[in-house]
Amino acid sequence: MKSCTQLVLAAAIGTVAAAATEDCVSQCCLSMAKVPELKGKVYLPDSTAYENRLDSYWSLSAALSPWCMVQPSTAKHVSVIIKTLVAGECPFGIRGGGHGAHKLSNAVDKGVTIDFGNMNSTTWDPDTRLVSIQPGGHWQTVYDELAPYGVAVAGGRAGTVGTGGFVSGGGNSFYSASHGMACDTVANFEVVLADGSIVNANASSNSDLFEALKGTSGNLGLITRFDMYPIEYADPVSSSIIYWAYLPALIGGTILNAAIENTMATVQPPAFDVYYAVDGIYSDTTVVDTLSNVANQLGSGQPPGFRNMWFAASFKNDARPMNYAVEKFEELNAALEEVAPSSETGLNTLCMFQPITKSIAEKGVQNGGNVMGLDAYTEDGNGIMFLLTLALTGTEAHEEAALPLMAAFIDDLDAYSDSLGLKWDWKYLNYAHSSQDVIASFGEEAVAKIKAASAKYDPNGVFQKLRGSGFKIPA
Ligand SMILES: Cc1cc2nc3c(=O)[nH]c(=O)nc-3n(C[C@H](O)[C@H](O)[C@H](O)COP(=O)(O)OP(=O)(O)OC[C@H]3O[C@@H](n4cnc5c(N)ncnc54)[C@H](O)[C@@H]3O)c2cc1C
Ligand SMILES: *[C@@H]1O[C@H](CO)[C@@H](O)[C@H](O)[C@H]1NC(C)=O
Ligand SMILES: *[C@@H]1O[C@H](CO)[C@@H](O)[C@H](O)[C@H]1NC(C)=O
């Protein structure tokens, strides 16, 4: 008999009828539902719980309907789940906070979605001075929970963002310049491995897994908790995101934004002199406020309920690719209007530039290492990470029509940067499109570490073969 993974593949290429996978629903879902610990935690289609979870995805493009969803509450549950899925060779997807943009970011349609939504707690331990966070929560809750203790962590800038995917994929925060990526501020991951064992990965125990988890998202195990160092010092403390926003429905055109931020609450620090020197500033909304309020406000800027498509690129810190991108962005928006008119689809797009500095990469190396490979890229200077986003409320056909235009924009920008010797292959996992070969872009040295960790901690390749969501380790 073929396994469910084989049947799904065979059905996809038409060598067996789609109905052949029906038995897999019972093999994978009913087998989990029969496990006493998982009673009431497996949701089948048409149940209220299943529908409610589907409604809670940030991006409509990502909200896929699986054979069933399973919602663990403890690491033990997660262990039972992975053992059952592996025994039945069941395809699965991993959902943390549910904020991935694309189809197959965090769910599967043919298989089981492991949904961490009930594992959403935040605990501050004043003795160990660590913040323990579960992977299914959102940063707004984390900040609100921590605020009474005067503690912050390097989490998402928008409070709506999920915790698990953000940290395991790197995590670019207000604190990147001073502390590195969010994953570089993790002291310990609790992980359920492919064989169901529950282990810690930190600087002194499973340190190779600790390093390899930082930047690879769901490739090595199911993270059930991560312990973060609080942000206690901050230097340097200023950062910025420059972006052109095409918001036809909201403002009738394109606006240039500078999201400037200083974690010591300094108003107009010298780092921002060049921004304030720009002529004709339309509006200045900077305020001194708590992280919680800022995160809350930023979350409302990119609301749920849209289909979303994101693409990543990067290049050396140089104005030419930036100018080129902005020029092409106008052409892109005109072309998008042809296939997905904003008047019908609520189309909006962003063209965003964020610094990737040597200081960010160095913090990664100092704090036990990560496997994003940034230190190799920043060796000869700082870089810019580029993000192109599209959101619309139209149909899947609109999204499909937009895809080649978005992909062509990125190819063109990459080719332009390359022609000037400025291109970086590096792609930020949490911003990249599913068609982009993210992990390969981390470079040979990093990929070798990731492969070694995968061979050791997931010898049968469960997270490469059965996992249908997220990015994979290159073969
Ligand atoms: C409005 C908005 C603002 C954003 N701002 C930022 C920002 O400032 N900086 C930034 O870096 N990114 C930002 N992002 C991107 C964000 O980091 C990613 O979308 C991230 O994946 C969100 O985490 P999540 O837990 O919601 O992931 P999900 O979409 O739930 O999961 C994505 C992937 O994460 C992995 N994953 C999740 N949970 C686990 C787990 N328990 N174990 C193993 N793997 C797991 C899986 O591989 C999964 O496929 C933003 C996104 C949005 C929508
Ligand atoms: C957080 O988890 C609890 C159960 O642990 C659940 O009742 C609650 O709905 C979850 N919160 C969110 C926002 O999903
Ligand atoms: C590292 O893992 C070991 C083994 O599980 C554990 O005893 C130790 O407390 C962990 N360290 C941290 C910082 O969590």
Side-chain angles (χ1 to χ4, degrees):
M1 205 193 107
K2 283 188 157 74
S3 72
C4 288
T5 332
Q6 288 168 329
L7 281 175
V8 165
L9 283 175
I13 57 171
T15 54
V16 302
T21 59
E22 272 167 23
D23 281 349
C24 293
V25 177
S26 55
Q27 189 174 320
C28 301
C29 296
L30 302 185
S31 63
M32 274 194 305
K34 279 186 206 146
V35 176
E37 295 102 299
L38 300 180
K39 194 166 188 278
K41 300 188 178 302
V42 179
Y43 311 148
L44 291 169
D46 298 331
S47 64
T48 311
Y50 184 102
E51 291 303 324
N52 285 346
R53 293 311 293 162
L54 270 189
D55 286 346
S56 67
Y57 278 85
W58 177 74
S59 172
L60 293 183
S61 317
L64 303 181
S65 300
W67 295 336
C68 60
M69 301 171 184
V70 57
Q71 276 209 303
S73 306
T74 63
K76 280 232 172 72
H77 292 159
V78 176
S79 169
V80 175
I81 290 168
I82 195 73
K83 281 186 196 163
T84 313
L85 294 178
V86 169
E89 291 193 50
C90 303
F92 65 87
I94 311 171
R95 172 184 173 164
H99 272 249
H102 322 102
K103 185 174 176 176
L104 299 174
S105 289
N106 45 22
V108 286
D109 42 6
K110 306 279 183 297
V112 175
T113 298
I114 307 173
D115 177 346
F116 281 93
N118 278 341
M119 294 179 70
N120 58 28
S121 70
T122 304
T123 324
W124 162 240
D125 183 335
D127 296 328
T128 59
R129 300 200 64 76
L130 290 174
V131 181
S132 294
I133 298 173
Q134 288 185 314
H138 298 102
W139 293 104
Q140 190 66 49
T141 323
V142 174
Y143 301 147
D144 292 348
E145 202 69 46
L146 296 178
Y149 307 103
V151 169
V153 286
R157 290 172 290 204
T160 51
V161 174
T163 56
F166 177 90
V167 161
S168 58
N172 192 23
S173 79
F174 289 135
Y175 302 99
S176 293
S178 55
H179 292 71
M181 298 291 251
C183 62
D184 300 320
T185 71
V186 171
N188 177 60
F189 291 99
E190 183 190 75
V191 197
V192 175
L193 300 177
D195 65 1
S197 55
I198 305 171
V199 303
N200 282 315
N202 56 57
S204 50
S205 189
N206 299 319
S207 59
D208 48 353
L209 178 61
F210 180 55
E211 180 172 8
L213 278 168
K214 294 189 260 181
T216 49
S217 198
N219 269 293
L220 298 167
L222 295 163
I223 297 165
T224 46
R225 195 191 76 230
F226 48 93
D227 306 319
M228 289 180 101
Y229 294 109
I231 301 296
E232 296 185 274
Y233 66 96
D235 175 46
V237 294
S238 296
S239 67
S240 65
I241 311 177
I242 303 302
Y243 63 104
W244 273 256
Y246 176 61
L247 304 167
L250 203 65
I251 58 164
T254 304
I255 187 168
L256 167 58
N257 292 269
I260 51 177
E261 156 279 325
N262 178 286
T263 56
M264 298 295 272
T266 307
V267 178
Q268 294 203 14
F272 299 143
D273 285 352
V274 286
Y275 296 131
Y276 281 103
V278 168
D279 274 344
I281 294 176
Y282 168 73
S283 131
D284 178 356
T285 58
T286 49
V287 286
V288 175
D289 210 334
T290 61
L291 179 57
S292 170
N293 286 343
V294 172
N296 200 6
Q297 197 196 336
L298 288 176
S300 63
Q302 285 168 287
F306 284 78
R307 294 174 180 278
N308 292 277
M309 192 185 301
W310 291 19
F311 274 91
S314 62
F315 41 80
K316 287 184 189 166
N317 182 24
D318 188 292
R320 287 169 290 173
M322 298 174 79
N323 287 328
Y324 186 78
V326 172
E327 192 186 308
K328 294 289 165 181
F329 183 59
E330 275 186 40
E331 291 172 24
L332 171 69
N333 289 324
L336 288 170
E337 284 288 355
E338 296 290 320
V339 299
S342 55
S343 54
E344 274 173 50
T345 67
L347 167 79
N348 63 80
T349 54
L350 301 179
C351 164
M352 231 181 218
F353 306 94
Q354 301 183 49
I356 283 290
T357 58
K358 278 175 102 73
S359 71
I360 296 178
E362 279 160 11
K363 288 291 180 303
V365 175
Q366 287 157 17
N367 299 341
N370 64 48
V371 286
M372 284 179 278
L374 279 173
D375 44 320
Y377 284 98
T378 55
E379 231 159 47
D380 57 347
N382 296 331
I384 301 285
M385 94 158 92
F386 178 75
L387 168 62
L388 178 70
T389 76
L390 170 146
L392 53 79
T393 52
T395 62
E396 195 169 353
H398 288 126
E399 196 179 338
E400 274 165 18
L403 175 61
L405 300 175
M406 298 281 286
F409 175 103
I410 291 291
D411 287 347
D412 183 37
L413 176 60
D414 273 343
Y416 179 79
S417 307
D418 207 15
S419 73
L420 299 173
L422 300 170
K423 185 187 162 212
W424 280 7
D425 286 332
W426 190 74
K427 288 164 192 75
Y428 178 39
L429 186 143
N430 282 339
Y431 288 171
H433 189 256
S434 42
S435 63
Q436 298 187 291
D437 199 356
V438 167
I439 297 198
S441 83
F442 296 170
E444 272 173 37
E445 200 186 325
V447 170
K449 285 184 186 172
I450 298 167
K451 284 187 171 172
S454 174
K456 179 168 164 191
Y457 294 97
D458 179 16
N460 297 323
V462 165
F463 287 91
Q464 303 310 306
K465 292 181 204 146
L466 297 185
R467 183 177 55 110
S469 67
F471 296 93
K472 299 275 172 66
I473 302 171

Short mmCIF file of all heavy atoms in Angstrom, two decimals, residues 266-291:
data_model
loop_
_atom_site.label_atom_id
_atom_site.label_comp_id
_atom_site.label_asym_id
_atom_site.label_seq_id
_atom_site.Cartn_x
_atom_site.Cartn_y
_atom_site.Cartn_z
N THR A 266 14.73 58.91 22.09
CA THR A 266 15.33 60.20 21.76
C THR A 266 14.57 60.79 20.57
O THR A 266 14.41 60.13 19.55
CB THR A 266 16.81 60.02 21.38
OG1 THR A 266 17.45 59.32 22.44
CG2 THR A 266 17.48 61.36 21.16
N VAL A 267 14.11 62.01 20.74
CA VAL A 267 13.39 62.66 19.66
C VAL A 267 14.40 63.29 18.71
O VAL A 267 15.32 63.99 19.14
CB VAL A 267 12.42 63.72 20.23
CG1 VAL A 267 11.70 64.45 19.10
CG2 VAL A 267 11.42 63.07 21.17
N GLN A 268 14.25 63.02 17.42
CA GLN A 268 15.16 63.52 16.38
C GLN A 268 16.64 63.31 16.71
O GLN A 268 17.42 64.27 16.77
CB GLN A 268 14.88 65.00 16.10
CG GLN A 268 13.52 65.21 15.50
CD GLN A 268 13.42 66.52 14.71
OE1 GLN A 268 14.42 67.15 14.39
NE2 GLN A 268 12.20 66.91 14.38
N PRO A 269 17.07 62.07 16.90
CA PRO A 269 18.50 61.82 17.10
C PRO A 269 19.26 62.16 15.82
O PRO A 269 18.67 62.16 14.73
CB PRO A 269 18.55 60.31 17.38
CG PRO A 269 17.34 59.77 16.71
CD PRO A 269 16.29 60.84 16.82
N PRO A 270 20.57 62.44 15.93
CA PRO A 270 21.35 62.86 14.75
C PRO A 270 21.26 61.87 13.59
O PRO A 270 21.34 62.27 12.43
CB PRO A 270 22.78 62.93 15.28
CG PRO A 270 22.66 63.01 16.77
CD PRO A 270 21.35 62.44 17.17
N ALA A 271 21.07 60.57 13.90
CA ALA A 271 21.01 59.57 12.83
C ALA A 271 19.92 59.91 11.81
O ALA A 271 19.98 59.47 10.67
CB ALA A 271 20.74 58.18 13.43
N PHE A 272 18.93 60.69 12.23
CA PHE A 272 17.80 60.98 11.34
C PHE A 272 17.87 62.36 10.69
O PHE A 272 16.93 62.78 10.03
CB PHE A 272 16.47 60.81 12.08
CG PHE A 272 16.25 59.41 12.58
CD1 PHE A 272 15.61 59.19 13.81
CD2 PHE A 272 16.67 58.32 11.85
CE1 PHE A 272 15.41 57.89 14.27
CE2 PHE A 272 16.48 57.02 12.30
CZ PHE A 272 15.85 56.80 13.53
N ASP A 273 19.00 63.05 10.90
CA ASP A 273 19.12 64.40 10.31
C ASP A 273 18.84 64.41 8.82
O ASP A 273 18.16 65.29 8.31
CB ASP A 273 20.53 64.97 10.57
CG ASP A 273 20.69 65.42 12.03
OD1 ASP A 273 19.68 65.42 12.75
OD2 ASP A 273 21.84 65.74 12.42
N VAL A 274 19.36 63.38 8.12
CA VAL A 274 19.18 63.36 6.66
C VAL A 274 17.71 63.23 6.28
O VAL A 274 17.28 63.76 5.26
CB VAL A 274 19.99 62.23 5.97
CG1 VAL A 274 21.46 62.56 5.94
CG2 VAL A 274 19.73 60.89 6.63
N TYR A 275 16.95 62.54 7.10
CA TYR A 275 15.52 62.41 6.79
C TYR A 275 14.80 63.74 7.02
O TYR A 275 13.98 64.17 6.20
CB TYR A 275 14.87 61.32 7.65
CG TYR A 275 15.41 59.94 7.39
CD1 TYR A 275 15.80 59.12 8.43
CD2 TYR A 275 15.52 59.47 6.09
CE1 TYR A 275 16.30 57.85 8.19
CE2 TYR A 275 16.02 58.20 5.83
CZ TYR A 275 16.41 57.40 6.89
OH TYR A 275 16.90 56.16 6.65
N TYR A 276 15.10 64.38 8.14
CA TYR A 276 14.41 65.64 8.44
C TYR A 276 14.83 66.75 7.49
O TYR A 276 14.12 67.75 7.35
CB TYR A 276 14.62 66.03 9.90
CG TYR A 276 13.71 65.24 10.83
CD1 TYR A 276 14.19 64.19 11.59
CD2 TYR A 276 12.34 65.56 10.91
CE1 TYR A 276 13.34 63.44 12.41
CE2 TYR A 276 11.50 64.83 11.74
CZ TYR A 276 12.00 63.77 12.49
OH TYR A 276 11.16 63.06 13.29
N ALA A 277 15.98 66.57 6.82
CA ALA A 277 16.45 67.60 5.88
C ALA A 277 15.73 67.53 4.53
O ALA A 277 15.86 68.42 3.70
CB ALA A 277 17.95 67.45 5.67
N VAL A 278 14.94 66.47 4.33
CA VAL A 278 14.23 66.32 3.04
C VAL A 278 13.18 67.42 2.91
O VAL A 278 12.48 67.76 3.88
CB VAL A 278 13.56 64.92 2.97
CG1 VAL A 278 12.58 64.84 1.81
CG2 VAL A 278 14.64 63.84 2.86
N ASP A 279 13.08 67.98 1.72
CA ASP A 279 12.10 69.05 1.46
C ASP A 279 10.68 68.52 1.40
O ASP A 279 10.46 67.41 0.95
CB ASP A 279 12.39 69.68 0.08
CG ASP A 279 13.43 70.78 0.21
OD1 ASP A 279 13.66 71.23 1.35
OD2 ASP A 279 14.00 71.16 -0.83
N GLY A 280 9.76 69.34 1.81
CA GLY A 280 8.34 69.05 1.56
C GLY A 280 7.81 67.85 2.31
O GLY A 280 7.04 67.07 1.77
N ILE A 281 8.22 67.70 3.59
CA ILE A 281 7.66 66.59 4.37
C ILE A 281 6.17 66.83 4.54
O ILE A 281 5.73 67.90 4.96
CB ILE A 281 8.38 66.45 5.74
CG1 ILE A 281 9.83 66.03 5.52
CG2 ILE A 281 7.65 65.45 6.63
CD1 ILE A 281 10.68 65.96 6.76
N TYR A 282 5.40 65.83 4.19
CA TYR A 282 3.96 65.97 4.13
C TYR A 282 3.35 65.87 5.53
O TYR A 282 2.46 66.62 5.89
CB TYR A 282 3.43 64.87 3.21
CG TYR A 282 1.96 64.64 3.20
CD1 TYR A 282 1.09 65.54 2.60
CD2 TYR A 282 1.43 63.48 3.81
CE1 TYR A 282 -0.26 65.31 2.58
CE2 TYR A 282 0.07 63.25 3.79
CZ TYR A 282 -0.77 64.16 3.18
OH TYR A 282 -2.11 63.92 3.17
N SER A 283 3.91 64.96 6.30
CA SER A 283 3.40 64.82 7.66
C SER A 283 4.43 64.09 8.51
O SER A 283 5.15 63.22 8.02
CB SER A 283 2.06 64.08 7.60
OG SER A 283 2.00 63.04 8.51
N ASP A 284 4.55 64.50 9.77
CA ASP A 284 5.48 63.86 10.70
C ASP A 284 4.67 63.34 11.87
O ASP A 284 4.14 64.12 12.66
CB ASP A 284 6.52 64.88 11.17
CG ASP A 284 7.51 64.29 12.18
OD1 ASP A 284 7.34 63.11 12.55
OD2 ASP A 284 8.43 65.00 12.59
N THR A 285 4.56 62.01 11.96
CA THR A 285 3.70 61.43 13.01
C THR A 285 4.52 60.78 14.12
O THR A 285 4.00 59.97 14.88
CB THR A 285 2.77 60.36 12.40
OG1 THR A 285 3.57 59.37 11.77
CG2 THR A 285 1.82 60.96 11.37
N THR A 286 5.82 61.13 14.21
CA THR A 286 6.63 60.50 15.26
C THR A 286 6.11 60.89 16.65
O THR A 286 5.69 62.02 16.89
CB THR A 286 8.12 60.90 15.16
OG1 THR A 286 8.20 62.31 15.03
CG2 THR A 286 8.79 60.24 13.99
N VAL A 287 6.15 59.91 17.53
CA VAL A 287 5.72 60.12 18.92
C VAL A 287 6.66 59.35 19.84
O VAL A 287 7.37 58.46 19.38
CB VAL A 287 4.30 59.56 19.18
CG1 VAL A 287 3.24 60.42 18.55
CG2 VAL A 287 4.18 58.11 18.71
N VAL A 288 6.64 59.71 21.11
CA VAL A 288 7.30 58.88 22.11
C VAL A 288 6.20 58.04 22.75
O VAL A 288 5.23 58.57 23.27
CB VAL A 288 8.00 59.75 23.17
CG1 VAL A 288 8.58 58.87 24.28
CG2 VAL A 288 9.09 60.59 22.52
N ASP A 289 6.34 56.72 22.64
CA ASP A 289 5.26 55.87 23.14
C ASP A 289 5.82 54.51 23.56
O ASP A 289 6.98 54.19 23.29
CB ASP A 289 4.19 55.70 22.04
CG ASP A 289 2.79 55.50 22.64
OD1 ASP A 289 2.70 55.01 23.78
OD2 ASP A 289 1.81 55.82 21.95
N THR A 290 4.97 53.70 24.18
CA THR A 290 5.41 52.37 24.62
C THR A 290 5.50 51.44 23.42
O THR A 290 4.84 51.64 22.39
CB THR A 290 4.41 51.75 25.60
OG1 THR A 290 3.15 51.62 24.92
CG2 THR A 290 4.24 52.60 26.84
N LEU A 291 6.30 50.38 23.59
CA LEU A 291 6.43 49.37 22.54
C LEU A 291 5.06 48.78 22.23
O LEU A 291 4.70 48.55 21.07
CB LEU A 291 7.40 48.28 23.01
CG LEU A 291 7.66 47.12 22.05
CD1 LEU A 291 8.19 47.60 20.72
CD2 LEU A 291 8.63 46.12 22.68
#
